[in-house]
Amino acid sequence: MTGLDEWGFATPAPDTDPHAGTNTACNPEDRNHPPPADPTGGQPPHPPNRPPTEPDHTHPPGRPPTPHPPYEPHRSARAALTRILEPGDETAGRWLNDMGPVALLHALTDDDAAPPPGASKTKLTGLRQRAARARPAEDLAAVAALGGRFVCPGDEEWPSQLDDLGDARPIGLWVRGRAHLRLWALRSVAVVGARACTEYGAHLATTLSAGLAERGWAVASGAAYGVDGAAHRGALAANGATLAVLACGVDYAYPRGHTELIDRITEQGLVIAELPPGDHPTRSRFVQRNRVIAALTRGTVVVEAELRSGSLVTARRALALGRFTMGMPGPVTSGLSAGVHQLLRGEAALVTDADEVIELVGSIGDLAPARRGRTHLRDLLDPVATRVLEALPARGSTDTGHLAREAGTSRDLTHTKLFELQSLGFVQRCGEGWELARRAETTDGSRRGGT
């Protein structure tokens, strides 16, 4: 194959500057390009209301960009492979792990090179056709022009929990936003659900995400209509952290109706994708996107889902990865809650608010407040007084002797308890007998609500 550079990938077009962009090391052993400094000083974003900032990669208006040295081979090779290989391709993932990115790229771009082990002729032909269109320098420069970056395994910002995906681990992640990806992912929860959600589901997703954000947790979702969009908006409304994992390039707003929302997430949170700039979503890419959401976060909450739903794919992938999987129940008559209820019958935990989610995914001591019903004065009575009170007839009156026999206690003790009950407003005298007093139950004022 002609038109290859020294690293084995297609040479950029003549009018393209291959030296544009930033240069950060993908290989931790490359001492000439150390990873970028931790912009937060190593502290997790708690609370993440003002995301940790990184150097601004954009250029002032009217000033040409400053030239940069060429991207190092490992980063450029991985960037090229994101355009050649489909997300979640475990066969290609094994090739990448065995051969390394530079050698694999060479095998896919040079017709005379030995093919990857076990590669079929049909698959190799298709991948080499894709490789002819790979322009990693252009893609890296394009994301840098958007103020973004390409994060790959070995980088200081790489979330190591993605390594749990094994051969299905992302080749790298294209990222937009100022926040530190690894630190935010350490305190993140996925909130997912139906696209055609009900008002009930949208309300749950919004309030749950706002509660998580207020407590210093980042909310991850897929930026889709319905529950995903409500989850992002809830976190943004609380001035908190949110991560959108896309099934297309980070420069491509999908769905189009969420263009403004994705722009807001870019400014206040992070937008993440496995696919290079300009790439479009497909059905299979949405499914593979879900595995990244499941692996990236500490746990996944499903708000509403039908029996056949992509949200359940995310939840079950989270279960397989050993992550916490949770569901919020809905009406048993709603088809949009049927999938959640099926999940809850298995290994998922039932949650109703942010406190209960954090109790599962948080540190030791992050306990949800105890739930209890209203306290009645009758609940505070001692056992003897309770028996005497229960011995009184619902209508009419009776004497002390009868009450003592019914309560199984002495006449004197019964007489004492009757005066105690009278002082509390439970009973009243009726001539020589006693009867129940008409009174309103008093509570301690406990309640549940949005406080």
Side-chain angles (χ1 to χ4, degrees), residues 25 73 83 87 117 149 154 172 198 204 257 361 399 425:
R83 194 168 287 282
R149 56 211 179 270
T198 64
L204 286 183
V361 304
D399 58 44

Side-chain angles (χ1 to χ4, degrees), residues 209-210 213 231-242 261 264-266 268-269:
S209 299
H232 291 305
R233 291 188 180 95
L236 292 171
N239 197 30
T242 188
L261 174 62
R264 287 186 60 201
I265 296 171
T266 303
Q268 189 170 322

Side-chain angles (χ1 to χ4, degrees), residues 282-322:
T282 63
R283 180 180 293 272
S284 63
R285 289 173 175 178
F286 281 116
V287 174
Q288 293 301 330
R289 179 271 309 273
N290 293 342
R291 86 191 195 287
V292 176
I293 296 176
L296 187 67
T297 54
R298 296 287 298 273
T300 295
V301 183
V302 183
V303 176
E304 279 189 326
E306 294 183 295
L307 290 172
R308 181 178 173 86
S309 168
S311 302
L312 298 184
V313 174
T314 308
R316 287 169 181 147
R317 195 60 182 262
L319 273 174
L321 291 168

